[in-house]
Amino acid sequence: WAPLVVVQRLAAAANDAMATGATERVTDLPSAAARAVQLCRADRAPRDAMATRATAFAAAHRGAAERMALAVSQLLQGTDLG
C-alpha cells in the first residue's frame, strides 16, 4: 500500500500546482513538448507569470521530497525486502 500512498500524494501535489496556475495538465509527452514550445513562443507576460507561480509553489513545498522519503523509510523499517 505504500506505493499507492506515494502516487496519491504526487497526484494531490500536481492538482495543487495546477490550482495555483503553476503548471498545466497534458495527456502525454509529445503534448508536453508541444505545450512547452507554445509557451516559449508566447508573449513573455503570461509565461513569466506562470514561472513566478511555479517558483512560489516550489518554495512553499520545499522539503516535500525529503519528507516523503522519510515517510517511506519509516513504512519500510523492519520490512525484509531481500
Side-chain angles (χ1 to χ4, degrees):
W1 62 272
L4 178 60
V5 172
V6 172
V7 169
Q8 288 174 340
R9 288 187 181 180
L10 290 174
N15 289 335
D16 290 347
M18 283 188 302
T20 67
T23 189
E24 298 175 2
R25 184 179 306 264
V26 294
T27 56
D28 54 27
L29 187 55
S31 297
R35 183 62 183 132
V37 169
Q38 288 174 343
L39 287 169
C40 288
R41 292 180 176 165
D43 293 332
R44 283 189 67 110
R47 183 179 65 238
D48 289 350
M50 185 180 211
T52 298
R53 291 188 299 268
T55 300
F57 182 84
H61 294 87
R62 190 166 326 269
E66 291 84 2
R67 290 189 299 275
M68 179 61 71
L70 178 60
V72 170
S73 175
Q74 290 172 344
L75 286 170
L76 294 176
Q77 282 182 351
T79 302
D80 181 13
L81 299 177

